[in-house]
Coordinates of all heavy atoms in Angstrom, one line a residue:
P60 N 9.6 11.2 -0.7 CA 9.8 10.5 -1.9 C 11.1 9.5 -1.9 O 11.9 9.7 -2.7 CB 9.8 11.5 -2.9 CG 10.4 12.6 -2.4 CD 10.0 12.6 -0.9
T61 N 11.0 8.7 -0.9 CA 12.2 7.6 -0.9 C 12.1 6.6 -1.9 O 13.1 5.9 -2.2 CB 12.4 6.9 0.5 OG1 11.0 6.4 0.9 CG2 12.7 8.2 1.5
G62 N 10.9 6.4 -2.5 CA 10.6 5.4 -3.5 C 9.6 6.0 -4.4 O 8.9 7.0 -4.1
D63 N 9.3 5.4 -5.6 CA 8.4 5.8 -6.5 C 6.9 5.3 -6.4 O 6.1 5.5 -7.1 CB 8.8 5.7 -7.9 CG 9.0 4.3 -8.4 OD1 8.8 3.4 -7.6 OD2 9.6 4.2 -9.5
S64 N 6.8 4.4 -5.4 CA 5.4 3.8 -5.1 C 5.4 3.6 -3.5 O 6.3 3.2 -2.8 CB 5.2 2.5 -5.9 OG 4.2 1.7 -5.4
M65 N 4.1 3.8 -3.1 CA 3.7 3.4 -1.7 C 3.5 1.9 -1.7 O 3.2 1.2 -2.7 CB 2.4 4.0 -1.3 CG 2.6 5.6 -1.0 SD 1.2 6.3 -0.4 CE -0.2 6.1 -1.7
H66 N 3.7 1.3 -0.5 CA 3.3 0.0 -0.2 C 2.0 0.0 0.8 O 1.7 1.1 1.3 CB 4.5 -1.1 0.2 CG 5.2 -0.5 1.4 ND1 4.6 -0.3 2.7 CD2 6.4 0.0 1.6 CE1 5.4 0.1 3.5 NE2 6.6 0.3 2.9
I67 N 1.4 -1.0 1.1 CA 0.3 -1.0 2.0 C 0.7 -0.4 3.4 O -0.3 0.1 3.9 CB -0.5 -2.4 2.0 CG1 0.6 -3.4 2.4 CG2 -1.0 -2.8 0.7 CD1 -0.1 -4.8 2.7
G68 N 1.8 -0.6 3.8 CA 2.1 0.1 5.1 C 2.0 1.5 5.1 O 1.5 2.2 6.1
H69 N 2.3 2.1 4.0 CA 2.2 3.6 3.8 C 0.7 4.0 3.7 O 0.4 5.2 4.0 CB 2.9 4.2 2.5 CG 4.3 3.9 2.4 ND1 4.9 3.4 1.4 CD2 5.3 4.4 3.2 CE1 6.1 3.3 1.6 NE2 6.5 3.9 2.6
L70 N -0.1 3.0 3.2 CA -1.6 3.3 2.9 C -2.2 3.7 4.2 O -3.2 4.5 4.2 CB -2.2 2.2 2.3 CG -3.7 2.3 1.7 CD1 -3.7 3.3 0.7 CD2 -4.0 0.9 1.1
I71 N -1.8 3.2 5.3 CA -2.6 3.4 6.8 C -3.0 4.8 7.0 O -4.2 5.2 7.1 CB -1.8 2.7 7.8 CG1 -1.8 1.2 7.6 CG2 -2.5 3.0 9.1 CD1 -0.8 0.7 8.6
P72 N -2.0 5.8 7.1 CA -2.4 7.1 7.5 C -3.2 7.8 6.4 O -4.1 8.6 6.6 CB -1.0 7.8 7.7 CG 0.0 7.1 6.9 CD -0.6 5.6 7.0
F73 N -3.0 7.4 5.1 CA -3.8 8.0 3.9 C -5.2 7.5 3.9 O -6.1 8.3 3.4 CB -3.0 7.8 2.7 CG -1.7 8.6 2.6 CD1 -0.5 7.9 2.8 CD2 -1.7 9.9 2.6 CE1 0.7 8.5 2.8 CE2 -0.5 10.5 2.7 CZ 0.7 9.8 2.8
M74 N -5.5 6.4 4.5 CA -6.8 5.9 4.7 C -7.5 6.9 5.6 O -8.8 7.2 5.5 CB -7.0 4.5 5.2 CG -6.4 3.4 4.3 SD -7.4 3.2 2.7 CE -8.9 2.7 3.2
I75 N -6.8 7.4 6.7 CA -7.5 8.2 7.7 C -7.8 9.6 6.9 O -8.8 10.2 7.2 CB -6.5 8.5 8.9 CG1 -6.1 7.2 9.5 CG2 -7.2 9.3 9.8 CD1 -7.4 6.3 10.0
L76 N -6.8 10.0 6.2 CA -6.9 11.3 5.4 C -8.1 11.2 4.6 O -9.1 12.1 4.4 CB -5.8 11.6 4.6 CG -4.6 12.4 5.1 CD1 -3.7 12.9 3.9 CD2 -5.1 13.7 5.9
K77 N -8.4 10.0 3.9 CA -9.5 9.8 3.0 C -10.8 9.9 3.9 O -11.8 10.3 3.3 CB -9.4 8.4 2.4 CG -10.5 8.2 1.2 CD -10.5 9.1 0.2 CE -11.6 8.8 -1.0 NZ -11.5 9.6 -2.1
R78 N -10.8 9.4 5.1 CA -12.1 9.4 5.8 C -12.4 10.8 6.2 O -13.6 11.3 6.2 CB -11.8 8.6 7.1 CG -11.6 7.1 7.0 CD -11.7 6.3 8.4 NE -11.2 5.1 8.0 CZ -11.7 4.1 7.5 NH1 -13.0 4.3 7.0 NH2 -11.3 2.9 7.2
F79 N -11.4 11.6 6.4 CA -11.5 13.1 6.7 C -12.2 13.7 5.5 O -13.1 14.6 5.6 CB -10.3 13.8 7.0 CG -10.0 13.8 8.5 CD1 -9.3 12.8 9.2 CD2 -10.6 14.8 9.4 CE1 -9.0 12.8 10.5 CE2 -10.2 14.7 10.8 CZ -9.5 13.7 11.4
Q80 N -11.6 13.4 4.3 CA -12.1 13.9 3.0 C -13.7 13.5 2.8 O -14.4 14.4 2.5 CB -11.3 13.4 1.8 CG -11.8 14.1 0.5 CD -11.1 13.4 -0.7 OE1 -10.8 12.3 -0.7 NE2 -10.8 14.1 -1.7
L81 N -14.0 12.3 3.1 CA -15.4 11.9 2.9 C -16.4 12.5 3.9 O -17.5 12.6 3.8 CB -15.5 10.4 3.0 CG -14.8 9.5 1.9 CD1 -14.8 8.1 2.2 CD2 -15.4 9.9 0.6
A82 N -15.7 13.0 5.0 CA -16.5 13.6 6.0 C -16.6 15.1 5.9 O -17.1 15.9 6.6 CB -16.0 13.3 7.5
G83 N -16.1 15.7 4.7 CA -16.2 17.1 4.4 C -15.0 17.9 4.7 O -15.2 19.1 4.6
H84 N -13.9 17.4 5.1 CA -12.7 18.1 5.4 C -11.8 18.0 4.2 O -12.0 17.4 3.3 CB -12.0 17.5 6.7 CG -13.0 17.4 7.9 ND1 -13.4 18.5 8.7 CD2 -13.8 16.3 8.5 CE1 -14.3 18.1 9.6 NE2 -14.4 16.9 9.5
H85 N -10.7 18.9 4.3 CA -9.8 19.2 3.3 C -8.4 18.6 3.6 O -7.6 19.2 4.2 CB -9.7 20.7 2.9 CG -9.0 21.0 1.5 ND1 -9.5 21.8 0.6 CD2 -7.8 20.5 1.2 CE1 -8.5 21.8 -0.4 NE2 -7.6 21.0 0.0
P86 N -8.1 17.4 3.0 CA -6.8 16.9 3.3 C -5.8 17.4 2.3 O -6.1 17.7 1.1 CB -7.0 15.4 3.0 CG -8.2 15.4 2.0 CD -9.0 16.5 2.2
Y87 N -4.5 17.6 2.7 CA -3.4 17.8 2.0 C -2.4 16.9 2.2 O -2.2 16.3 3.4 CB -2.7 19.2 2.5 CG -3.4 20.6 2.3 CD1 -4.6 21.0 2.8 CD2 -2.9 21.4 1.3 CE1 -5.2 22.1 2.5 CE2 -3.5 22.6 0.9 CZ -4.7 22.9 1.5 OH -5.2 24.1 1.2
V88 N -1.7 16.5 1.0 CA -0.7 15.5 1.2 C 0.6 16.4 0.9 O 0.8 17.1 -0.3 CB -0.8 14.4 0.2 CG1 0.5 13.7 0.0 CG2 -1.9 13.5 0.6
V89 N 1.5 16.3 1.7 CA 2.9 16.9 1.5 C 3.9 15.9 0.9 O 4.3 14.9 1.7 CB 3.5 17.6 2.9 CG1 4.9 18.2 2.5 CG2 2.6 18.8 3.3
V90 N 4.2 16.1 -0.3 CA 5.3 15.2 -0.8 C 6.6 15.8 -0.6 O 6.8 17.0 -1.1 CB 5.0 14.9 -2.4 CG1 6.0 14.1 -2.9 CG2 3.6 14.2 -2.6
G91 N 7.4 15.2 0.2 CA 8.7 15.9 0.7 C 9.8 16.0 -0.3 O 10.7 15.4 0.0
G92 N 9.7 16.9 -1.3 CA 10.7 17.1 -2.1 C 11.9 17.7 -1.3 O 13.2 17.5 -1.8

Side-chain angles (χ1 to χ4, degrees):
T61 53
D63 61 5
S64 173
M65 291 189 288
H66 55 67
I67 55 173
H69 294 130
L70 191 59
I71 299 170
F73 296 104
M74 296 297 296
I75 306 301
L76 272 194
K77 184 68 178 181
R78 294 188 195 285
F79 272 93
Q80 183 187 36
L81 294 174
H84 304 287
H85 188 129
Y87 283 74
V88 169
V89 175
V90 178

